[in-house]
């Protein structure tokens, strides 16, 4: 049984933050869409994830999902219902048997309820995450309570909504052009019985600016396990005309000697990140005895460490590198280095710090025999 999460992110909702559609607004420094993707990526029951996006947002999307293992996104349509249908049609050859249709603007999909929905699909066609209405309901008549509405038996539908793939595809094809408010309504119209599973109040939809603040508070409360670790590396000078430092090639009278590209800055930082999750050191993951890594670009070592942190549901809160050398001068290259490290780790540049110092001509760096680097990383993991 292949389970695919189809996440709808094609809307233009600008209500929350002005210029950017809300799914790309930062939530603790990472786009909301990335948080939603990560939640589904961490669920063992979900095999594939596909986003439906507005093609105008392709650059924003690519930046937001950097390094995440997702299916290629597909283009949405004019209305949400058109977007879902496009997404479903795109999955016909993917072997999907169960599908979870989810709104990207809900960054905290409840895993237990989702697993329950998927289990129900063994016997049934549809199950959705929803919450029973607890508040008394009033009908507004020009600011006056016109009527108290009986709330017994009323539920608020959330997403994800889970369906047998073929059943919901057929239902959506038949409902094309109609304006139905959610996928469950599309299913109901086709005569499909939709089961209700209790979701979570945390599974709210980010609609207003205060929802974004609430999402940040919630995220903080889920990522309370703060870890800091350090890394250190040295490479000696040898023949060459440039050195690679923090992913940037800098012209120099010498090169740095190493099995890979000898990027001390990225090596120290890779070790620091591995340290935050107790994942050993760079040599264990990329043995210098392995021919595969000869002359390798160190970007991939750092990206791998970042990936391991994310696999644990973690967020990189901050990284800090100190390069220790007399020459070359680091200052002029610092902005590019910050940008490059942020890009490799898919975090915002304001979470990256790069510093340089000399050792006052003392020791091996002072004698210009090589370059040393130390790094610190801080990550937040789920408790
Ligand atoms: Mg090294």
């Amino acid at each position: 049984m292949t389970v695919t999460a189809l996440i709808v992110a094609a809307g233009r909702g600008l209500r929350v933050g002005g210029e950017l559609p809300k799914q790309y607004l930062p939530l603790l420094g990472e786009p909301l869409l990335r948080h939603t993707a990560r939640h589904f990526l961490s669920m063992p029951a979900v095999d594939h994830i596909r986003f439906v996006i507005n093609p105008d947002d392709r650059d924003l999307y690519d930046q937001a999902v950097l390094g995440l293992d997702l299916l290629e996104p597909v283009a949405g349509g004019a209305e949400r219902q058109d977007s879902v249908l496009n997404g479903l049609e795109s999955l016909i050859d993917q072997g999907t048997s169960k599908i979870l249709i989810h709104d990207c603007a809900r960054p905290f999909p409840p895993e237990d309820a989702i697993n329950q929905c998927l289990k129900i699909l063994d016997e049934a066609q549809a199950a959705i995450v929803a919450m029973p209405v607890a508040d008394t309901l009033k009908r507004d008549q020009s600011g006056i309570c016109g009527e108290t509405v009986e709330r017994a038996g009323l539920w608020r539908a959330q997403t994800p909504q889970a369906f047998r793939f073929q059943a919901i595809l057929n239902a959506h094809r038949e409902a094309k052009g109609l304006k139905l408010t959610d996928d469950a309504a599309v299913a109901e119209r086709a005569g499909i019985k939709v089961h209700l599973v209790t979701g979570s109040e945390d599974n709210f939809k980010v609609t207003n600016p205060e929802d974004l603040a609430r999402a940040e508070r919630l995220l903080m409360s889920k990522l309370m396990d703060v870890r800091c670790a350090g890394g250190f590396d040295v490479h000696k000078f040898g023949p060459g005309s440039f050195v690679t430092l923090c992913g940037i090639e800098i012209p120099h009278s010498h090169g740095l000697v190493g099995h890979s590209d000898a990027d001390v800055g990225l090596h120290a930082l890779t070790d620091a990140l591995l340290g935050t999750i107790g994942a050993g050191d760079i040599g264990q993951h990329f043995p210098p005895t392995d021919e595969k890594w000869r002359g390798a670009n160190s970007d991939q070592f750092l990206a791998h460490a970042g990936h391991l942190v994310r696999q644990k549901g973690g967020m990189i809160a901050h990284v800090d590198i100190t390069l220790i050398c007399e020459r070359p001068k680091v200052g002029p290259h610092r902005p590019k280095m910050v940008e490059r490290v942020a890009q490799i780790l898919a975090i915002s540049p304001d979470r990256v710090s790069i510093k340089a110092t000399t050792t006052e001509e003392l020791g091996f760096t002072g004698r210009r025999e090589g370059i040393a680097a130390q790094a610190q990383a801080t990550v937040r993991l789920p408790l």
Side-chain angles (χ1 to χ4, degrees):
M1 282 277 183
T2 301
V3 176
T4 301
L6 182 68
I7 306 177
V8 189
R12 293 247 63 92
L14 300 174
R15 220 179 321 170
V16 187
E19 296 287 292
L20 278 178
K22 66 182 173 189
Q23 56 272 36
Y24 299 103
L25 286 175
L27 203 57
L28 287 189
E30 292 189 338
L32 191 157
L33 182 145
R34 187 176 182 89
H35 290 279
T36 307
R38 275 214 320 245
H39 268 99
F40 281 96
L41 280 169
S42 73
M43 293 180 198
V46 176
D47 299 301
H48 302 294
I49 300 166
R50 167 159 280 166
F51 275 86
V52 185
I53 63 168
N54 186 315
D56 293 348
D57 299 338
R58 184 62 204 244
D59 289 348
L60 286 171
Y61 173 82
D62 287 344
Q63 182 60 33
V65 302
L66 212 66
L68 301 184
D69 187 15
L70 308 169
L71 298 179
E72 267 292 292
V74 293
E79 301 288 334
R80 182 186 180 282
Q81 206 173 316
D82 307 316
S83 295
V84 173
L85 181 56
N86 285 2
L88 292 171
E89 298 281 4
S90 79
L91 289 166
I92 287 174
D93 297 325
Q94 290 281 344
T96 297
S97 43
K98 296 176 179 177
I99 188 139
L100 295 163
I101 304 175
H102 186 66
D103 288 331
C104 181
R106 296 182 191 269
F108 304 104
E111 185 170 7
D112 289 350
I114 290 169
N115 287 336
Q116 236 178 299
C117 286
L118 290 172
K119 195 159 189 296
I120 289 172
L121 292 192
D122 288 341
E123 313 287 333
Q125 303 276 317
I128 66 167
V129 172
M131 292 299 288
V133 172
D135 298 324
T136 298
L137 297 175
K138 303 289 185 190
R139 195 177 304 284
D140 179 1
Q141 266 178 6
S142 314
I144 305 291
C145 290
E147 180 198 355
T148 298
V149 181
E150 178 60 44
R151 71 162 182 243
L154 288 184
W155 289 63
R156 291 181 283 128
Q158 301 182 332
T159 68
Q161 302 192 338
F163 305 94
R164 288 296 195 116
F165 179 72
Q166 201 58 48
I168 194 66
L169 173 64
N170 294 343
H172 258 281
R173 281 175 174 168
E174 285 163 21
K176 196 173 163 70
L178 302 175
K179 290 210 167 158
L180 300 169
T181 51
D182 66 354
D183 305 293
V186 172
E188 291 155 33
R189 183 183 168 276
I192 295 170
K193 248 190 217 159
V194 179
H195 293 254
L196 292 166
V197 171
T198 305
S200 155
E201 289 297 351
D202 289 348
N203 185 28
F204 60 93
K205 191 173 188 169
V206 173
T207 312
N208 302 305
E210 49 275 25
D211 298 328
L212 206 62
R214 180 182 172 196
E216 291 206 316
R217 284 197 301 275
L218 186 59
L219 197 60
M220 281 285 203
S221 74
K222 286 178 189 291
L223 295 172
M224 290 290 273
D225 186 0
V226 177
R227 311 270 189 98
C228 301
F232 179 74
D233 195 31
V234 172
H235 281 270
K236 65 179 176 188
F237 283 126
S241 58
F242 68 91
V243 293
T244 306
L245 291 177
C246 297
I248 303 297
E249 285 184 9
I250 300 172
H252 190 52
S253 55
H254 293 81
L256 286 173
V257 181
H259 187 69
S260 66
D261 64 4
D263 189 330
V264 276
L266 294 193
H267 292 184
L269 182 54
T270 301
D271 264 355
L273 276 173
L274 292 174
T276 62
I277 50 169
D281 58 33
I282 192 169
Q284 260 171 277
H285 293 265
F286 305 98
T289 47
D290 191 335
E291 271 309 301
K292 198 163 55 175
W293 309 119
R294 181 173 293 284
N297 202 321
S298 298
D299 294 18
Q300 56 194 311
F301 306 157
L302 183 60
H304 178 71
H307 178 69
L308 292 180
V309 169
R310 283 193 288 268
Q311 258 187 350
K312 291 192 173 286
M315 268 190 69
I316 300 166
H318 184 250
V319 298
D320 177 74
I321 301 172
T322 304
L323 297 166
I324 307 163
C325 59
E326 301 291 331
R327 285 288 184 274
K329 280 208 175 302
V330 169
H333 308 282
R334 194 197 320 256
K336 270 194 174 161
M337 291 176 171
V338 167
E339 202 183 309
R340 185 73 197 116
V341 169
Q343 196 182 25
I344 298 166
L345 289 173
I347 58 177
S348 126
D350 63 6
R351 291 172 187 272
V352 177
S353 151
I354 291 175
K355 313 192 299 289
T357 187
T358 70
T359 49
E360 298 283 337
E361 307 209 316
L362 297 172
F364 70 88
T365 58
R367 293 189 298 272
R368 305 181 186 203
E369 292 167 2
I371 299 183
Q374 58 185 35
Q376 274 75 38
T378 306
V379 308
R380 305 183 71 106
L381 296 174
L383 261 189

